[in-house]
Amino acid sequence: MRVLLVGAGGVGTAITRIAARRSFFDHMVVTDYDLSRAEAAVAALGGEEERFTALRVDASDRAAVAALLAEQRCDILMNATDPRFVMPLFDAALAAGVDYLDMAMSLSSPHSERPYEECGVKLGDGQFERAGAWEEAGRLALVGVGVEPGLSDVFARYAADELFDEIEEIGVRDGANLTVEGYDFAPSFSIWTTIEECLNPPVVWEKDRGWFTTAPFSEPEVFDFPEGIGPVECVNVEHEEVLLIPRWVESRRVTFKYGLGDEFIETLKTLHKLGLDRTDKVSVPGGDVSPRDVVAACLPDPASLGELMRGKTCAGTWVKGTKDGAPREVYLYHVVDNQWSMREYGSQAVVWQTAINPVIALELVAGGVWSGTGVLGAEALDPRPFLDLLVEYGSPWGLREQ
């Protein structure tokens, strides 16, 4: 298998470090708009560098990406860019006749009149609209396979297959006790993506109602996270799992809640009030600029914070239902300690936890264990091989009876 990796930021670089320890692929072409980032990611691999090549590509240029896929004889495109570039990369892979894998799906837009009651364009709608073309081409687009979405969806399918007879609710719950020394505000993941998912209307799915929206940061609850993280207040946030899980897993309700903290929420609200979450460009002396890009440029690169971070991050899926006629409630989870991920891989915990899952999915596709055509989420496929590989990669998952 020959892989085109687009994006050599924190997650993309972590992908190369994880993949370098595996033998399932022949070559990985590492690309970025900034060639120096791709070159740095490859150079850091040392003795494994011969299986990797660094090149420049503009992720927004569909034709250029498709041409590069053909030139490099790649079998699959792995998208490690932010969601703005999902559609050009998704379309480039289809045009080139190769498979595709991403960690975040095409962007949403709120309902024009009732944004906090009804869905407008949902996350992933742009990709699912093209599912027929992927099926006709006999190619696979495996979408939303990071940690959340991704591993969380694998957990949902595993729970449905092996732990429950009927499921009342599936709730993805994400929390951490990470701190960053020397910073009052330093997000551990892309602020561009964080603003997008936290300030958009969150989506909830109910069997009798379908998909609907609520106000940002709604329905707060305190969730007790494992392995010493403890209680964290979580709120509704727009996320792909709610759009993916109901397509393949039977449940009466699906939600996603994120542990943000009051200070983080207030900062995001302030950015919104000031219009600094906008993506359309405004005129300033010297040219036009997107306010959200300015915010991102003023904050530290999350990939650079690893040495200053302390604590753990937890991604998981809470499931409530019945088994053998008795009520059951479980939390399936994956915890990464930042000091461990820095020591073992040189990547901070949040980006490393995101990166390991698409590499596992790639290995399953390369070996023919995961296969199919069209646009599929992780919950459409067998969860057990994925979870077994997660353990083999040295990062075990857990299950807690609630």
Side-chain angles (χ1 to χ4, degrees), residues 50 56 73 85 114 136 195 261-262 298 353 365 381:
E50 62 184 26
R56 182 190 180 278
R73 297 175 289 108
F85 304 108
R114 294 165 53 86
E136 290 174 12
I195 288 173
D262 291 340
C298 290
Q353 188 183 45
V365 171
L381 301 163

Side-chain angles (χ1 to χ4, degrees), residues 119 122 203-206 209-213 242-244 246-247:
C119 296
K122 302 187 297 300
V203 180
V204 175
W205 186 85
E206 292 180 356
R209 187 174 174 182
W211 286 294
F212 61 94
T213 58
V242 178
L243 288 312
L244 287 167
R247 296 175 188 269

Side-chain angles (χ1 to χ4, degrees), residues 5-342:
L5 172 65
V6 184
V11 173
T13 296
I15 284 172
T16 65
R17 293 172 181 177
I18 296 166
R21 303 187 184 189
R22 308 296 294 185
S23 62
F24 66 87
F25 68 99
D26 300 310
H27 199 83
M28 182 175 289
V29 182
V30 182
T31 67
D32 199 277
Y33 187 80
D34 180 350
L35 177 59
S36 66
R37 295 209 305 179
E39 290 175 333
V42 171
L45 300 175
E48 288 294 330
E49 189 176 338
E50 62 184 26
R51 282 199 299 160
F52 295 80
T53 301
L55 294 174
R56 182 190 180 278
V57 76
D58 181 348
S60 68
D61 188 338
R62 170 190 144 165
V65 174
L68 187 60
L69 284 163
E71 175 189 312
Q72 294 295 319
R73 297 175 289 108
C74 293
D75 304 294
I76 189 167
L77 187 158
M78 179 181 282
N79 177 1
T81 64
D82 73 52
R84 286 175 290 180
F85 304 108
V86 164
M87 289 312 298
L89 293 175
F90 180 78
D91 288 341
L94 180 59
V98 305
D99 292 337
Y100 170 88
L101 191 157
D102 67 27
M103 289 158 271
M105 298 183 69
S106 58
L107 292 171
S108 65
S109 59
H111 191 278
S112 59
E113 298 176 356
R114 294 165 53 86
Y116 303 136
E117 292 86 22
E118 297 182 31
C119 296
V121 176
K122 302 187 297 300
L123 291 169
D125 275 357
Q127 290 171 285
F128 281 114
E129 286 172 0
R130 291 161 170 74
W134 282 84
E135 291 171 6
E136 290 174 12
R139 307 308 310 188
L140 171 65
L142 192 52
V143 297
V145 191
V147 60
E148 292 170 342
L151 179 57
S152 50
D153 305 66
V154 172
F155 284 148
R157 178 60 184 267
Y158 174 76
D161 286 356
E162 302 196 27
L163 304 180
F164 290 84
D165 295 323
E166 292 187 359
I167 294 176
E168 178 181 333
E169 182 169 352
I170 296 172
V172 179
R173 300 292 184 265
D174 181 298
N177 60 2
L178 294 169
T179 60
V180 182
E181 296 176 8
Y183 288 93
D184 292 327
F185 184 76
S188 58
F189 202 70
S190 162
I191 188 61
W192 202 100
T193 303
T194 301
I195 288 173
E196 183 73 20
E197 62 188 23
C198 290
L199 291 179
N200 279 349
V203 180
V204 175
W205 186 85
E206 292 180 356
K207 189 170 185 178
D208 296 332
R209 187 174 174 182
W211 286 294
F212 61 94
T213 58
T214 69
F217 317 118
S218 58
E219 299 181 2
E221 67 174 58
V222 175
F223 193 85
D224 187 19
F225 289 91
E227 298 194 22
I229 295 174
V232 177
E233 185 177 78
C234 298
V235 294
N236 280 328
V237 168
E238 181 191 46
H239 234 249
E240 287 92 340
E241 290 94 324
V242 178
L243 288 312
L244 287 167
I245 290 172
R247 296 175 188 269
W248 289 284
V249 179
E250 283 288 328
S251 175
R252 294 190 184 94
R253 180 176 164 90
V254 181
T255 58
F256 178 95
K257 294 189 180 183
Y258 197 5
L260 295 171
D262 291 340
E263 182 180 9
F264 200 99
I265 290 173
E266 288 306 313
T267 299
L268 292 174
K269 287 181 177 178
T270 300
L271 291 175
H272 179 64
K273 286 179 182 178
L274 297 175
L276 295 175
D277 60 327
R278 292 168 53 189
T279 58
D280 54 309
K281 292 184 177 182
V282 297
S283 295
V284 298
D288 297 335
V289 63
S290 157
R292 192 183 301 186
D293 287 341
V294 173
V295 172
C298 290
L299 290 171
D301 180 356
S304 70
L305 298 175
E307 297 290 350
L308 302 175
M309 288 175 63
R310 299 290 182 272
K312 300 176 181 179
T313 184
C314 178
T317 305
W318 162 76
V319 186
K320 179 180 180 181
T322 59
K323 178 67 173 177
D324 297 328
R328 191 178 194 187
E329 196 174 335
V330 304
Y331 183 59
L332 300 105
Y333 63 89
H334 183 247
V335 172
V336 178
D337 185 303
N338 186 73
Q339 288 181 281
W340 175 87
S341 64
M342 286 298 298

